[in-house]
Amino acid sequence: MLSEHRFIRALLRKPVDRTPVWIMRQAGRYLPEYRAIRDKVKDFLVLCKTPELACQITLQPLERFPLDAAIIFSDILTIADALGLELSFLEGEGPCFRSSIQTVEDVEKLPIIDPEIELRYVMDAIRMVKQATHHQVPLIGFSGSPWTIATYMVEGRASKNFTKIKKLMFSQPMILHRLLTRLRNIIVNYLKAQIMAGADVLMIFDTWGGVLSCSDYLNFSLHYMQGIIEDLNSYHVKKVPIILFTKNVGQNVVALSETGCQAVGLDWTVSLDKVRLLIGHKVALQGNLDPAALYADPAYIQKAVQTILQQFGQGSGHIFNLGHGIYPDVDPEKVAIMIEAVQSFSTQYHKI
Amino acid sequence: MLSEHRFIRALLRKPVDRTPVWIMRQAGRYLPEYRAIRDKVKDFLVLCKTPELACQITLQPLERFPLDAAIIFSDILTIADALGLELSFLEGEGPCFRSSIQTVEDVEKLPIIDPEIELRYVMDAIRMVKQATHHQVPLIGFSGSPWTIATYMVEGRASKNFTKIKKLMFSQPMILHRLLTRLRNIIVNYLKAQIMAGADVLMIFDTWGGVLSCSDYLNFSLHYMQGIIEDLNSYHVKKVPIILFTKNVGQNVVALSETGCQAVGLDWTVSLDKVRLLIGHKVALQGNLDPAALYADPAYIQKAVQTILQQFGQGSGHIFNLGHGIYPDVDPEKVAIMIEAVQSFSTQYHKI
C-alpha cells in the first residue's frame, strides 16, 4: 500500500523507519543518461510534451539511486503554454513566451482549457509512470503557483526586478487579481487531473513569492495558493498530501504553514530548527541542503546531511531534499553519497 | 553641528522631530540631470573615477529633493578594481572583471593598496562634497562587504547561482577565508580613509549575503563584517555610525543587529514591526519600501509610506529608505511624493 510508504507517512507526520529523501530536479542535466536523450531531442519542451520520453526521464534517477519518490518530468510553465502564450526555452536564457499579458483584454481573452485535452501529455506521462512502477513508487505531481506563473506571463521571460508585473501590481492591481484568479482555477483543475491520473502527492512551486513584501505576498501569492489547497482538500474523489514551496520565504513561513498544506518546502537560507521553533509540528518540513554543497567532498556532504537531520531533530515529519533544484554540473556520485548519508544517519531520529 | 542633524541623531536613536529619509542610488539614472552627464561620459567607471563628476552627481538629488543625507557616488566594486582585476560595466549586463580569483596564488599575488593612492578618487570626491555642502549635509561613505566583493572577484561578473564561489567555499574554504581576510583588512583601511576625508556615516552593502545558509552566512559573511565594525569602533581618531545592509537577511537579522553596528538596513521582504519584535531597540532600522512601489499612483505611495512608519512605530531609530536601490525608470515626481509623505506623516511618531 502506497499510503504506508515512508514518504507518504512522513508527509503526514506518522512514524517512519528513516527520513525519506528525493531531490528537486532529480531528473535532469546532471545525469548523463538524461543528457543522452536531450542531445537527440534538443528541445526541452518536446521532452515534456512526449509522454514516453517524460516517463522515461522521470524514471532515470530512480534506476540509479534509492530515492523515496518520483516527480513527474514537466515544467511549471506548461499552463501558460496551454493558455496560448507559446513557451520556448532559449539556450542559457531560460523560458521565453511569444506573447505576454499586459492588459485586462489579454486576461479576458485567455481560453478555457481542459487539462485532459490541452495538458493531456502531462496526464499521460503520469499514467505511464504509475504503470511502469507498478504503482509501487510515490509519484509527485506539481504546478507553479498562480503568482509565479503570472510573473512569467506578464514579464514574458525570466526577470531580475519583476518590473512589469510589479508595475501592474502597484498601478492596476485588479487586472493582476483577475489573472491570478484565472490561474488559481486552472491550477485546481490541473492538479485534480494529475490526482486522477495517478499523482500520489502534489507540490506547488512558488519560486518568486520571495520577491514580495510580506503584505503583498499574502495578497498576491499566498491567498491564491490557499484557495487551491482549500479546493483540493475538499475534493472528495481523492485527497493527496500537498507540499508548498516558496523560495526565500522569510517571515512568511508561519503563514505558509497555516494554509492547510501537509508540508512546507524550504530553501537552504533558513535553518530547520528555527523554523520548527516558529511553527512546531503543524506540518512536515522538506529540505534543505544548499544545492552547491554537492560540490564539496564526501566528508563535507555527510556532515552537512547530519547537521540538517539534527536541526530537524527527533520524530517523523522531515523529508530530506535540496533547498532548490540540483545544479547541472553536479557529479552524480555526490548525489549517491548524500542519499546514503540520509539513509544511514537518519534512523537514529526515528527510534521509538 | 552635524552631530545634531536628525539623520545622525536617528542613527543613534536620539529624539528627532521627524523620521529622516534618503534613497539608495538616489544619484542615478532615474534623474534626467544624471542621464545628461552619462550621455556625455558613457562609461560609468569614468564617472566614479573623476572626483569633480562624482561630486556633481552626488549633489544632484539634494538639489532636487529635501533629502536628509548624501551618499558618495561610487561603486561597491572600486576595491576589486584597485586590486588590479580591471572592472568594466557592460551595457545591460552589469559589472565584469578582466581577471578573476581562482587559486590561492591569485589571492597571494593581490597587491597591497593604500586607499589614499589607488582609491584617492573616492577620497577626493568626498572632500569635494563636504566642501561644496559647507559641511552642513551628512555624507555617507560606503563599501561592499568582504563576501559580496569576493563573489564578483571569484565569479568575474554578476552571477545567478554563485557556482564558482560556492565551489570554492565548499571545496577549498581556506582559500576563500584568505581572500575574505585580505578584503576585510583593505575595507577597514578604505573606510577609515573615507572617515578622514569627511564621511559622517558609513554603510556596508552585503548584497549577496542572503544566498548563503545561516551557518555559512555567519562564517563567510557576518564574521568579516563584524571584524570591520570592531576595528572601526575602536578607531580613536574619529568614530562614525555604521549601517549594515544584507539583502534577503532572513533569520540572520538578529545576528546582524549584534555586530556593533548602529543601524541595520532592511529590504522590503521583511516587515519592520516583526524585526522590531525580534531585536527591540538595540539598533536603528533603515528601510524599507519596495522600490517598485514608486510605480504606483500618489495615493498608494502615501499609504505605503504610512504603513512603514506605523510598522516601526513610536520613537526615534528609523531612517526611511527604499528596500533596495531605486529603479532607473521611476518618475522623479514619485520620489518627491514619497519624501513629502515621510516628512508630513512621521512627525506624529516623534511627539514626546
Side-chain angles (χ1 to χ4, degrees):
Chain A
M1 281 280 287
L2 265 188
S3 63
E4 291 306 306
H5 192 287
R6 70 169 70 80
F7 175 57
I8 308 289
R9 289 183 61 90
L11 283 170
L12 302 173
R13 289 162 295 127
K14 294 179 184 171
V16 288
D17 58 337
R18 62 163 177 80
T19 304
V21 53
W22 69 280
I23 301 162
M24 288 194 271
R25 294 220 183 127
Q26 62 191 20
R29 275 202 287 168
Y30 76 105
L31 289 177
E33 56 269 34
Y34 171 81
R35 290 198 302 270
I37 296 181
R38 187 77 189 265
D39 281 347
K40 273 185 267 175
V41 180
K42 310 280 186 214
D43 188 339
F44 172 80
L45 210 54
V46 170
L47 298 184
C48 295
K49 290 185 175 180
T50 312
E52 294 76 13
L53 291 175
C55 171
Q56 188 186 344
I57 294 169
T58 299
L59 298 175
Q60 283 179 338
L62 282 89
E63 284 150 19
R64 196 186 257 265
F65 308 117
L67 292 157
D68 290 303
I71 180 163
I72 194 68
F73 181 78
S74 186
D75 191 80
I76 57 168
L77 297 178
T78 48
I79 282 180
D81 183 62
L83 285 168
L85 270 64
E86 289 189 54
L87 177 61
S88 62
F89 286 85
L90 306 174
E91 193 60 37
E93 293 201 36
C96 180
F97 288 106
R98 182 187 285 267
S99 54
S100 65
I101 301 292
Q102 306 297 333
T103 65
V104 69
E105 290 74 28
D106 293 339
V107 178
E108 294 308 321
K109 75 175 187 220
L110 288 172
I112 307 286
I113 59 171
D114 177 343
E116 271 292 357
I117 297 172
E118 286 85 354
L119 291 160
R120 182 177 178 127
Y121 59 86
V122 177
M123 313 312 150
D124 284 343
I126 290 175
R127 284 184 279 261
M128 282 182 195
V129 170
K130 291 305 292 179
Q131 205 167 12
T133 56
H134 309 288
H135 299 262
Q136 297 300 303
V137 179
L139 177 63
I140 305 165
F142 71 90
S143 171
S145 72
W147 164 258
T148 292
I149 296 176
T151 62
Y152 290 98
M153 289 175 76
V154 173
E155 301 285 338
R157 58 196 309 147
S159 173
K160 194 183 156 213
N161 288 332
F162 300 91
T163 308
K164 288 181 188 166
I165 195 164
K166 285 199 172 180
K167 271 186 183 157
L168 202 59
M169 181 174 91
F170 285 118
S171 63
Q172 298 181 287
M174 290 322 294
I175 298 180
L176 185 54
H177 280 302
R178 276 199 201 199
L179 175 59
L180 293 167
T181 303
R182 285 294 309 270
L183 287 171
R184 171 208 180 287
N185 295 336
I186 294 166
I187 292 168
V188 167
N189 290 337
Y190 184 43
L191 292 176
K192 281 182 183 172
Q194 292 190 39
I195 295 176
M196 293 319 294
D200 304 291
V201 171
L202 295 173
M203 183 155 166
I204 299 173
F205 288 88
D206 188 28
T207 316
W208 300 120
V211 305
L212 295 170
S213 74
C214 290
S215 62
D216 292 330
Y217 176 74
L218 298 181
N219 290 336
F220 292 94
S221 180
L222 195 77
H223 171 74
Y224 293 96
M225 295 199 287
Q226 179 146 18
I228 291 169
I229 292 169
E230 282 165 10
D231 276 13
L232 291 173
N233 281 344
S234 63
Y235 184 49
H236 294 296
V237 183
K238 192 179 164 197
K239 275 181 219 177
V240 304
I242 301 168
I243 309 168
L244 266 195
F245 174 78
T246 293
K247 196 158 176 276
N248 283 320
V249 65
Q251 294 177 335
N252 297 311
V253 68
V254 176
L256 209 62
S257 73
E258 289 166 349
T259 51
C261 68
Q262 279 66 44
V264 169
L266 296 165
D267 71 23
W268 67 92
T269 66
V270 290
S271 33
L272 296 188
D273 47 356
K274 289 187 192 160
V275 172
R276 220 176 157 181
L277 270 180
L278 283 173
I279 67 175
H281 288 267
K282 249 182 302 196
V283 294
L285 299 180
Q286 177 177 283
N288 69 343
L289 184 67
D290 186 342
L294 295 181
Y295 296 137
D297 61 31
Y300 184 96
I301 294 171
Q302 287 163 344
K303 200 167 143 255
V305 167
Q306 280 177 292
T307 301
I308 288 171
L309 292 171
Q310 195 174 16
Q311 282 172 348
F312 184 85
Q314 282 295 327
S316 184
H318 180 207
I319 297 95
F320 197 96
N321 206 318
L322 299 178
H324 202 240
I326 188 167
Y327 296 145
D329 60 345
V330 160
D331 177 357
E333 265 311 297
K334 301 292 183 68
V335 175
I337 287 159
M338 182 192 85
I339 294 170
E340 155 71 19
V342 175
Q343 295 189 338
S344 60
F345 297 131
S346 70
T347 53
Q348 62 183 297
Y349 295 102
H350 299 282
K351 286 181 182 144
I352 300 153
Chain B
M1 281 278 289
L2 265 187
S3 62
E4 290 307 305
H5 192 285
R6 71 168 70 80
F7 175 57
I8 308 288
R9 289 183 61 89
L11 283 169
L12 302 173
R13 288 162 297 127
K14 294 179 183 171
V16 289
D17 58 337
R18 62 163 176 79
T19 304
V21 52
W22 69 280
I23 301 161
M24 288 193 271
R25 294 220 182 125
Q26 62 190 20
R29 275 201 288 169
Y30 75 105
L31 289 177
E33 54 270 35
Y34 171 81
R35 290 197 302 269
I37 296 181
R38 187 75 190 266
D39 281 347
K40 274 184 267 177
V41 180
K42 309 282 185 212
D43 189 338
F44 172 80
L45 210 53
V46 170
L47 299 183
C48 295
K49 291 183 175 180
T50 312
E52 294 75 13
L53 292 175
C55 170
Q56 189 185 345
I57 293 169
T58 299
L59 297 175
Q60 282 178 339
L62 282 89
E63 284 151 18
R64 196 185 258 265
F65 308 117
L67 292 157
D68 290 303
I71 180 163
I72 193 69
F73 180 78
S74 187
D75 191 80
I76 57 167
L77 296 179
T78 48
I79 283 180
D81 183 62
L83 286 168
L85 271 62
E86 288 188 53
L87 177 61
S88 61
F89 286 84
L90 307 175
E91 193 59 39
E93 294 201 35
C96 179
F97 288 106
R98 183 187 286 266
S99 53
S100 65
I101 301 292
Q102 306 298 331
T103 64
V104 68
E105 289 74 28
D106 293 339
V107 178
E108 295 307 321
K109 77 176 185 217
L110 287 172
I112 307 287
I113 59 170
D114 177 343
E116 270 293 359
I117 298 172
E118 285 85 353
L119 292 160
R120 181 176 180 127
Y121 59 86
V122 178
M123 312 313 149
D124 283 344
I126 290 175
R127 283 184 280 260
M128 283 181 194
V129 171
K130 290 306 292 180
Q131 204 167 12
T133 56
H134 308 288
H135 299 263
Q136 298 301 304
V137 179
L139 177 62
I140 304 165
F142 70 89
S143 171
S145 72
W147 164 257
T148 292
I149 296 177
T151 62
Y152 290 97
M153 289 175 77
V154 173
E155 301 285 338
R157 59 196 308 144
S159 173
K160 193 182 155 215
N161 289 331
F162 299 91
T163 308
K164 288 181 188 167
I165 195 165
K166 285 199 171 179
K167 272 188 182 157
L168 202 61
M169 181 175 90
F170 284 119
S171 62
Q172 299 182 287
M174 291 322 294
I175 298 179
L176 185 54
H177 279 302
R178 276 198 201 201
L179 174 60
L180 293 166
T181 302
R182 285 294 308 273
L183 287 171
R184 171 207 180 286
N185 295 335
I186 294 166
I187 292 168
V188 167
N189 289 336
Y190 183 44
L191 292 176
K192 282 182 183 173
Q194 292 190 39
I195 295 176
M196 293 319 294
D200 305 290
V201 170
L202 295 173
M203 182 155 167
I204 299 173
F205 287 88
D206 188 28
T207 316
W208 299 120
V211 304
L212 295 170
S213 74
C214 291
S215 63
D216 292 331
Y217 176 74
L218 298 181
N219 290 336
F220 292 94
S221 180
L222 195 76
H223 171 74
Y224 293 96
M225 295 199 288
Q226 178 144 17
I228 292 169
I229 292 168
E230 281 164 10
D231 275 14
L232 291 174
N233 280 343
S234 62
Y235 184 49
H236 295 295
V237 182
K238 193 180 164 197
K239 274 183 220 177
V240 305
I242 301 168
I243 309 168
L244 267 195
F245 174 78
T246 293
K247 195 157 175 277
N248 284 320
V249 65
Q251 295 177 335
N252 298 310
V253 69
V254 177
L256 210 62
S257 73
E258 290 166 348
T259 51
C261 68
Q262 279 66 44
V264 169
L266 296 165
D267 71 24
W268 66 92
T269 66
V270 290
S271 33
L272 296 188
D273 47 356
K274 290 187 192 160
V275 172
R276 219 174 158 182
L277 270 180
L278 282 174
I279 67 174
H281 289 267
K282 249 181 303 196
V283 294
L285 300 180
Q286 177 176 282
N288 69 342
L289 184 67
D290 185 342
L294 295 181
Y295 297 138
D297 60 33
Y300 184 96
I301 294 171
Q302 287 162 344
K303 200 168 142 253
V305 166
Q306 281 177 292
T307 302
I308 288 171
L309 292 171
Q310 195 175 14
Q311 282 172 348
F312 184 85
Q314 282 294 328
S316 184
H318 181 207
I319 297 96
F320 196 96
N321 206 317
L322 299 178
H324 203 240
I326 188 167
Y327 295 144
D329 60 345
V330 160
D331 177 358
E333 265 311 298
K334 302 291 182 68
V335 175
I337 287 159
M338 181 192 84
I339 294 170
E340 155 70 20
V342 175
Q343 296 189 338
S344 61
F345 297 132
S346 70
T347 54
Q348 62 183 297
Y349 296 101
H350 299 281
K351 286 180 182 145
I352 300 154

